[in-house]
């Protein structure tokens, strides 16, 4: 199957998938922050990104540019939880960016390994190594210290970001499991995700009152060239981010995708202090972010060391637990 060839990819393809996801993920944080500073309707923005993704893959399949198969209802039912968790993650992440500055947003999102660790304990995976436990606790301590020194503290924004962490943990594991069991390629999972998302997102923007005001504002801002450029870049990067994320998760693992997310946060945190504003520098805040970043790097090293110390195997830990 196509997905199996992806799962058994060469080290070069695995590296390219991980690096591509890291770059796309880092860029997307700043692009979303930039557009949300001008256009505050985050759910409508997510709907547009998913619509653009579905249409691009559909036309690509019709014109022969992609080998993605058509919609299968049984597969769609199995992937519905993936789509719901993905959209919940992105929706809460976009909502948090409206009230949280980028360095603190990155710091909070680094709590994903803590959520993975806790989920692993409750699912019977076993106790993590001492290094993994200490590094995750260091990440959490850094977030708390940084939050105490955050002059722009926004409780609602923090709550949205923490909720996003939970959903991110859930959908990464489901993506890896779905890709392995259903024999789906990264493009096919991306299409199913977008296709299944649209009814749910359209329903949400209607009941939350975003529509039709968000559409009216979109047309009103269409006279601004700078806004249109940012919007188009956002739609394109949404497609690129989805593809690289699913590819990295299938070719490597959910763990690798999480680690890449932690590592790219180092660059995002640094750039976040100088780009797009919204950051008031405080010694306590900076100290917490440094501790948080150090914990993230330590966690990545500990997981890499743990993985290389084990005998090589053909299937991932998540895939093995599902059998």
């Amino acid at each position: 199957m196509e997905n199996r060839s992806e799962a058994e990819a060469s080290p070069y393809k695995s590296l390219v998938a991980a690096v591509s996801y890291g770059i796309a993920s880092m860029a997307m944080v700043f692009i979303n922050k930039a557009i949300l500073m001008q256009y505050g309707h985050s759910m409508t923005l997510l709907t547009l990104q998913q619509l653009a993704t579905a249409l691009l893959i559909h036309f690509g399949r019709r014109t022969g540019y992609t080998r993605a198969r058509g919609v299968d209802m049984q597969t769609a039912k199995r992937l519905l939880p993936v789509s719901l968790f993905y959209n919940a993650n992105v929706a809460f992440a976009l909502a948090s960016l409206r009230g949280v500055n980028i360095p603190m947003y990155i710091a909070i999102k680094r709590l994903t390994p803590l959520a993975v660790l806790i989920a692993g304990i409750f699912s019977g995976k076993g106790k993590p190594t001492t290094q993994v436990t200490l590094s995750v606790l260091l990440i959490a301590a850094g977030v708390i210290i940084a939050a105490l020194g955050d002059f722009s503290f926004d409780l609602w924004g923090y709550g949205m970001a923490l909720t996003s962490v939970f959903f991110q943990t859930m959908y990464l594991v489901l993506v890896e499991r779905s890709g392995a069991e259903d024999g789906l390629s990264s493009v096919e999972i991306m299409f199913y995700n977008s296709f299944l998302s649209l009814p749910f997102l359209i329903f949400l923007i209607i009941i939350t009152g975003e529509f039709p005001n968000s559409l009216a504002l979109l047309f009103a801002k269409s006279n601004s060239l700078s806004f249109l450029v940012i919007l188009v870049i956002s739609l394109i990067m949404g497609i690129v981010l989805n593809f690289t994320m699913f590819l990295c998760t299938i070719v490597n693992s959910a763990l690798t995708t999480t680690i890449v997310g932690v590592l790219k946060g180092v660059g995002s945190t640094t750039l976040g202090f100088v780009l797009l504003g919204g950051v008031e520098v405080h010694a306590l805040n900076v100290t917490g972010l440094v501790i948080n970043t150090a914990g993230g790097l330590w966690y990545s090293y500990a997981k890499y060391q743990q993985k290389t110390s084990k005998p090589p195997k053909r299937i991932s830990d998540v895939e093995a637990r599902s059998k």
Side-chain angles (χ1 to χ4, degrees), residues 51-70:
L51 179 61
T53 301
L55 289 176
L56 180 66
I57 297 175
H58 173 71
F59 287 123
R61 187 174 67 241
R62 294 293 296 271
T63 55
Y65 282 101
T66 177
R67 293 179 296 172
R69 292 165 289 185

Side-chain angles (χ1 to χ4, degrees), residues 102-160:
I102 289 179
M104 280 308 306
Y105 169 80
I106 297 296
I108 295 171
K109 292 292 281 184
R110 284 202 193 104
L111 290 174
T112 301
L114 176 61
V116 172
L117 185 149
I118 295 173
I121 293 175
F122 281 102
S123 64
K125 184 180 179 181
K127 291 184 178 180
T129 64
T130 302
Q131 281 203 69
V132 169
T133 302
L134 292 177
S135 63
V136 167
L137 291 176
L138 192 64
I139 291 172
V143 171
I144 295 172
I145 294 172
L148 293 174
D150 185 10
F151 285 125
S152 59
F153 181 84
D154 186 316
L155 181 60
W156 183 83
Y158 273 61
M160 295 296 100

Side-chain angles (χ1 to χ4, degrees), residues 40 102 119 125 132 134 145 200 207 245 254 285 302 305 323:
I102 289 179
K125 184 180 179 181
V132 169
L134 292 177
I145 294 172
F200 172 70
I207 66 169
M245 177 194 66
N285 186 242
Q305 195 176 49
K323 296 186 176 180

